[in-house]
Amino acid sequence: MIARAPFVLAATMAGTVAVFAYQPPDIATAGTELGAATVAGQDAPATAPVEVLGPPVDTDYGPVAVTAVVDPSTGRVVRARATMYPTELPKSARINRTAVLTLEAAAVGRSTADGIATVSGATYTSEGFRGSLAAALASARTGSTP
Amino acid sequence: MSPRFSGLAVLGAGLVAAVALAEPGATRPADALARLVALWGAVMALAAVALAARVPLVERRLGQTHALAIHRVVGPAAAVLVTAHVGLVLLTYRSDGQDLLSTGLELLLGTQWMLPATAGFVAILALSASSWHRVRARMRYETWWAAHLYMYLAVALAFAHEIFVGPALPAGSVRRGAWVAAHLAVLAAVLGFRVVAPLMRSLRHRPRLVDVTADGATLVVTVSVVDLDALALQGGQFMYWRILARGLWWQAHPYSVLDASDGCLRLAVRATGDYAAALGRSAPGTRLAFEGPYGVMTAARAVRPGITLIGAGAGLAPLLGVARDAPGDRDIRIIAAVRDRDPLLEDELARGAAEREHRTGRAVPRHVARGPLSPSDLTAAWIEKHAPGVADDDIYVCGPPGFTRAVLDALTTAGVPPQHIHTEVFAT
């Protein structure tokens, strides 16, 4: 037992340092890749797309607002942009800058906001994004722009 | 107050603390639940560590036996709550059509501080498994003890994700301040009362082995101690002892004190196990270190005119200390169960009784049951036969866990009020 102790101790320390030193991969690469889909989605509509502004939706970290370009004939999102999201804390800023790219890309082609997957690490921003986009899509359907 | 009741009380207090720590007005109920369960589990884990920190106030007021009994309710509860938190997070964070495994991997590798937190969770699971009585029974004590050290690591590993992931404890909030302060307080208690204080006391009292007498089931170990009176040792207490020799210094074992006089302590040590054998082999003059004294099974607890001492094996040693310290106007009787041949302990028993008889002029009736006793022998009727009117006495019980449990059950059946039953189970 005591003879094994130095090895167990060394392995424990190495493991502890390793798990703390781990840095998750940046989501930015995934975001830019998917960003290309925004352009591809523009070729379908015959009628002129309309731009609708989603209201700011409060989250625990701050408000999120989305502006969406919607094809009125299909009701689907042509392009989405988060115009407001929390950047107050450095950590929020780092997470959200990449997360909104993913969310914007995920919104394209959808007629509802419900199916947009939560970006891990940015649960609240994802929720705010969905809330604001849902309101924007609702106003596009009724034809009123807030 | 029974330990189980105290355990539930601590669980309840933990829930109140978790609700106070939880953020007000969380967006999604499922998120809020996952985090509340997490906070509750984390508070319980911290409480389990604090209960084992040997805080003097807890040791004096509650006693180690009681504190560890609560620890054994609170610790498993923490493991269950943390497991529930992990399950809830996986279910909550899963997006449409995603399986739990990929959700888990995404959370684990895509979010900072989640890898340490998960390592901490794995440590808690491993520790829980090692503490489950069926596994523990097959495990060496040392392995189990070493596994327990990982609980400190688990709490530290999980700490970063509690603070930095999610909005549960935002920067600058009173809640985050309280949470950090609670961790610092427990850390200070563990270092202070489990490391620094025992070190200081051992340096001051410089215990050294004088001699070991072995014959039968009990070893009698004599230890010289500088400034013995300053220990403020009471009869019935015990101390944790370590042998300061290569390969032995890192473990500590609880031995009860037979008596203390002329700068020497005499300890009763059950002659089984590696450590007792090592003690027997150690040369006179070997340096020792100790923690304690601990224990609330002292004569000061007795308020009734009669005292009945019921003990088995090495558990009789602290009872002799109670008999020595009890005021002279109390009638004391002893029921002793001696399973294996144990001449040294029987000598001590006879000597302790004779001393008291000489000092107080009151007889100390003894019944010594030799040979194996099963729990079914230890009935209320058996106790009543050897100690008539036992329900009117203060009763002290000390022995192996199975013996103690059976006697406590019998006493409850006999109608002894719980506040007059005094017992100590050594955490060996």
Side-chain angles (χ1 to χ4, degrees):
Chain A
M1 178 70 202
I2 193 79
R4 280 207 305 270
F7 300 102
V8 174
L9 203 63
T12 304
M13 279 165 69
T16 305
V17 170
V19 291
F20 273 118
Y22 174 78
Q23 286 281 341
D26 215 332
I27 315 162
T29 40
T32 37
E33 231 169 70
L34 288 165
T38 316
V39 187
Q42 279 177 315
D43 52 12
T47 35
V50 291
E51 188 178 66
V52 278
L53 303 173
V57 171
D58 272 326
T59 74
D60 286 15
Y61 288 111
V64 178
V66 180
T67 300
V69 176
V70 180
D71 176 356
S73 61
T74 60
R76 288 177 192 279
V77 175
V78 178
R79 191 167 56 232
R81 181 152 307 282
T83 51
M84 190 190 283
Y85 55 87
T87 51
E88 219 164 80
L89 303 168
K91 184 178 151 57
S92 301
R94 188 175 65 76
I95 291 173
N96 287 336
R97 262 181 218 118
T98 52
V100 292
L101 293 176
T102 312
L103 292 165
E104 285 165 3
V108 172
R110 289 182 192 274
S111 54
T112 69
D114 299 338
I116 299 172
T118 296
V119 175
S120 74
T123 313
Y124 284 78
T125 302
S126 304
E127 255 157 34
F129 188 95
R130 281 194 290 264
S132 183
L133 181 63
L137 289 170
S139 69
R141 274 196 295 279
T142 56
S144 69
T145 304
Chain B
M1 200 162 56
S2 85
R4 183 156 298 185
F5 180 80
S6 326
L8 291 177
V10 174
L11 273 179
L15 180 58
V16 172
V19 169
L21 282 167
E23 81 268 35
T27 347
R28 287 199 297 182
D31 273 359
L33 181 67
R35 275 199 291 275
L36 182 67
V37 166
L39 280 167
W40 193 6
V43 170
M44 288 300 96
L46 204 58
V49 172
L51 280 163
R54 300 190 187 140
V55 179
L57 188 71
V58 175
E59 298 293 322
R60 271 201 306 274
R61 297 289 293 275
L62 208 56
Q64 201 169 100
T65 304
H66 196 144
L68 289 180
I70 302 175
H71 174 94
R72 280 190 282 273
V73 174
V74 168
V80 169
L81 288 165
V82 170
T83 307
H85 163 65
V86 172
L88 282 168
V89 163
L90 284 178
L91 290 174
T92 325
Y93 281 69
R94 184 169 65 144
S95 43
D96 301 332
Q98 199 181 17
D99 62 294
L100 287 178
L101 184 69
S102 60
T103 309
L105 282 174
E106 196 179 288
L107 280 170
L108 181 65
L109 301 173
T111 316
Q112 200 164 20
W113 310 120
M114 284 306 290
L115 203 56
T118 308
F121 174 55
V122 172
I124 288 174
L125 286 186
L127 170 66
S128 309
S130 79
S131 287
W132 190 39
H133 62 99
R134 289 196 192 164
V135 179
R136 195 185 162 178
R138 288 159 176 268
M139 228 174 189
R140 281 169 59 104
Y141 168 77
E142 289 78 9
T143 313
W144 172 83
W145 176 85
H148 252 69
L149 291 183
Y150 278 81
M151 190 60 203
Y152 298 119
L153 186 63
V155 170
L157 282 167
F159 185 71
H161 99 288
E162 291 160 14
I163 293 286
F164 294 123
V165 178
L169 300 162
S173 66
V174 175
R175 291 180 286 119
R176 183 188 276 196
W179 191 231
V180 173
H183 279 77
L184 289 178
V186 172
L187 179 70
V190 168
L191 288 179
F193 300 127
R194 293 206 68 155
V195 181
V196 177
L199 207 62
M200 301 288 282
R201 285 171 84 85
S202 290
L203 284 172
R204 174 177 176 192
H205 293 286
R206 295 198 291 280
R208 277 173 185 273
L209 190 67
V210 172
D211 137 83
V212 179
T213 320
D215 185 14
T218 305
L219 302 178
V220 175
V221 178
T222 310
V223 178
S224 69
V225 171
V226 174
D227 208 359
L228 180 60
D229 291 341
L231 269 182
L233 188 74
Q234 299 176 64
Q237 289 192 307
F238 63 97
M239 298 155 93
Y240 287 88
W241 288 91
R242 19 180 122 238
I243 308 168
L244 298 185
R246 203 183 155 81
L248 295 168
W249 59 271
W250 60 277
Q251 32 177 332
H253 291 253
Y255 302 135
S256 46
V257 182
L258 272 168
D259 55 40
S261 60
D262 303 328
C264 279
L265 289 172
R266 292 195 315 130
L267 314 171
V269 177
R270 211 159 80 92
T272 52
D274 299 347
Y275 218 68
L279 208 49
R281 279 196 308 271
S282 298
T286 300
R287 283 172 193 280
L288 306 173
F290 68 86
E291 293 162 44
Y294 299 119
V296 292
M297 195 184 63
T298 59
R301 295 231 151 180
V303 293
R304 292 169 147 188
I307 295 174
T308 299
L309 308 174
I310 307 176
L316 287 161
L319 297 182
L320 287 171
V322 173
R324 197 178 49 247
D325 283 6
D329 61 350
R330 306 290 167 87
D331 282 314
I332 290 191
R333 52 194 171 177
I334 301 174
I335 301 180
V338 180
R339 193 183 59 186
D340 307 309
R341 199 184 73 87
D342 205 346
L344 289 181
L345 200 63
E346 289 201 41
D347 278 359
E348 293 293 336
L349 207 57
R351 208 162 63 114
E355 258 172 32
R356 184 170 171 89
E357 284 175 7
H358 179 72
R359 183 162 55 86
T360 64
R362 287 165 187 262
V364 180
R366 309 196 287 290
H367 171 78
V368 181
R370 292 190 182 78
L373 278 176
S374 74
S376 56
D377 298 326
L378 299 163
T379 57
W382 186 82
I383 295 168
E384 182 69 29
K385 184 179 150 207
H386 298 297
V390 72
D392 299 324
D393 280 6
D394 269 297
I395 301 160
Y396 289 75
V397 186
C398 197
F403 172 88
T404 304
R405 220 171 8 249
V407 171
L408 292 183
D409 285 349
L411 291 173
T412 311
T413 312
V416 184
Q419 69 269 27
H420 293 299
I421 303 177
H422 316 286
T423 185
E424 196 93 67
V425 181
F426 296 168
T428 39

